[in-house]
Amino acid sequence: MSQYWSAVVHGLTPYVPGEQPKLANLVKLNTNEHPYGPSPRAIDAIRAEASDALRLYPDPTAERLKNAIAVRHGITPRQVFVGNGSDEVLAHAFMALLKHDRPLRFPDISYSFYPVYCGLYGITFETVALDENLAIRPDDYLPNGDAAGGIIFPNPNAPTGRLLPLADIERIVAGNQQCVVVVDEAYVDFGGESAIALTARYPNLLVVQTFSKSRSLAGLRVGFAVGHPDLIEALDRVKDSFNSYPLDRLAIVGAVAAIEDEEYFERTCNAVIRTREQLIADLASLGFEVLPSAANFVFARHPARDAGELAAELRKQAIIVRHFRQPRIEQFLRITVGTDAQCGALIGALRKILG
Ligand SMILES: *Cc1c(COP(=O)(O)O)cnc(C)c1O
């Protein structure tokens, strides 16, 4: 029935999310979800809101959530935009701030949604190769005669897990004041330093974060951006031309309660960080080369074993990790940091597979 499709749809190459299989006893280490549940206070708040109140539309500006985010990060609510997951926030940023005549730049190995948004919005882009250690070279993002139309990269980068220090982020932002630089901080709470502090000094910097990873609320769909109020207004214009109510009532109250529960957040993220360090040591002892990670996943390859085959062998034992059939990284596995027990099961299975 594709004769009914618009020309735009014919040209789309959609993003393929990591699978969500419905198998019992699965060790699911493929989509970077947090192994510990959300704050109990978030669940209580969602329960309390699941009432007759759902009859009414939510606050279209989610003011309570913007306030809670502003308080936590020492900024004003006018510097905050919230959306239905950071994927939606990013999509609006592509349309509102990154679509220009000159090409958008991002790393060749990065979040694979970026080229998808470019396809959807008709944005031209250039990829910038990571170095031989799969690290971002900040100098490659400084204009060398040919200024970019925009720049976007995750920090820590995905799927490598590598972190760029804040001083390098600042060099890139300061050196590109002709365009917007978006820093996608989906994983920053697992060991990075946020660039939010820089937004006060750089009106061209937009920092995007999510509740999906460090707040363990992937199922609630809440993301946000922080930047100069002029950047936020651009995002609001796109949002109010698309969907006035991206966050429902449950999402607003759940996210507010989660961000207010600082103690739970710190404790569960620290637990993931501790498990990550053990996982890196265990993988290394099995002969894996593991990139340094500041995220809740590790990126590793075995010099003697094909990554696709390892992923298939693990799957037979009901352990799922992510393998990207993509040039330069086809020999790597991206492994989400689970509980100690899940990571122990992974290491046990790999020990058997490797013999
Ligand atoms: C997971 C992820 C996101 C999207 O998160 P949602 O808020 O769940 O939409 C964005 N960027 C990167 C790099 C991610 O890994």
Side-chain angles (χ1 to χ4, degrees):
M1 292 298 162
S2 59
Q3 83 259 27
Y4 299 126
W5 293 6
S6 68
V8 172
V9 170
H10 280 286
L12 294 180
T13 313
Y15 176 75
V16 183
E19 54 176 332
Q20 298 287 351
K22 286 173 192 62
L23 297 173
N25 303 322
L26 192 68
V27 177
K28 190 174 175 305
L29 303 176
N30 67 329
T31 50
N32 299 343
E33 288 132 335
H34 201 299
Y36 306 107
S39 158
R41 284 165 59 181
I43 296 170
D44 287 347
I46 292 167
R47 281 214 179 90
E49 188 72 8
S51 68
D52 180 64
L54 290 177
R55 201 169 55 75
L56 303 170
Y57 280 105
D59 172 8
T61 60
E63 222 47 56
R64 275 189 64 200
L65 179 56
K66 286 191 195 177
N67 280 323
I69 291 167
V71 166
R72 174 158 198 278
H73 292 286
I75 51 177
T76 70
R78 288 181 62 231
Q79 292 165 272
V80 183
F81 177 83
V82 293
N84 190 264
S86 62
D87 284 339
E88 184 184 82
V89 176
L90 289 167
H92 289 347
F94 271 71
M95 167 160 263
L97 301 167
L98 301 178
K99 181 176 163 68
H100 294 287
D101 293 338
R102 281 168 288 128
L104 173 66
R105 288 195 182 133
F106 51 81
D108 63 337
I109 293 159
S110 183
Y111 189 33
S112 41
F113 226 132
Y114 301 158
V116 174
Y117 293 133
C118 288
L120 178 61
Y121 295 126
I123 300 169
T124 56
F125 66 92
E126 295 169 352
T127 58
V128 182
L130 298 181
D131 74 12
E132 63 284 0
N133 300 315
L134 300 183
I136 289 175
R137 261 186 308 241
D139 284 353
D140 292 350
Y141 292 83
L142 299 180
N144 183 6
D146 50 339
I151 293 172
I152 184 167
F153 54 88
N155 195 45
N157 195 11
T160 66
R162 277 185 173 272
L163 180 75
L164 213 51
L166 206 51
D168 285 335
I169 304 278
E170 181 161 9
R171 275 179 62 222
I172 294 171
V173 175
N176 285 281
Q177 303 204 23
Q178 81 293 341
C179 73
V180 169
V181 178
V182 177
V183 182
D184 179 354
E185 293 188 336
Y187 301 103
V188 77
D189 296 323
F190 298 104
E193 197 180 349
S194 176
I196 286 178
L198 298 178
T199 58
R201 273 182 287 139
Y202 296 98
N204 63 320
L205 171 63
L206 189 79
V207 178
V208 176
Q209 292 195 2
T210 177
F211 282 66
S212 296
K213 314 287 170 42
S214 59
R215 302 269 171 189
S216 194
L217 286 169
L220 200 65
R221 312 306 304 132
V222 182
F224 64 96
V226 175
H228 188 282
D230 288 350
L231 301 187
I232 301 305
E233 184 184 339
L235 296 172
D236 278 329
R237 283 173 164 237
V238 171
K239 171 234 172 205
D240 286 320
S241 305
F242 177 73
N243 177 5
S244 302
Y245 306 103
L247 291 194
D248 62 53
R249 286 178 169 273
L250 307 182
I252 292 170
V253 298
V256 167
I259 207 157
E260 287 175 352
D261 197 349
E262 191 68 28
E263 185 273 330
Y264 184 87
F265 166 74
E266 299 251 326
R267 183 153 47 86
T268 50
C269 288
N270 284 335
V272 169
I273 292 167
R274 272 197 306 276
T275 306
R276 176 183 72 210
E277 298 312 307
Q278 183 64 48
L279 176 62
I280 290 172
D282 290 346
L283 287 168
S285 76
L286 292 176
F288 280 88
E289 296 162 14
V290 191
L291 295 189
S293 170
N296 69 336
F297 59 85
V298 299
F299 207 47
R301 75 173 152 195
H302 197 282
R305 296 296 294 266
D306 179 72
E309 284 168 27
L310 285 178
E313 288 295 320
L314 286 170
R315 172 177 292 269
K316 286 186 199 153
Q317 304 189 41
I319 298 173
I320 305 195
V321 300
R322 192 97 192 250
H323 174 236
F324 298 90
R325 286 179 207 288
Q326 190 187 322
R328 295 187 78 191
I329 57 169
E330 68 275 304
Q331 287 310 326
F332 280 86
L333 297 175
R334 193 196 67 187
I335 305 167
T336 303
V337 178
T339 60
D340 287 332
Q342 288 175 318
C343 292
L346 170 86
I347 293 296
L350 284 172
R351 189 167 287 129
K352 267 195 253 157
I353 293 166
L354 296 168

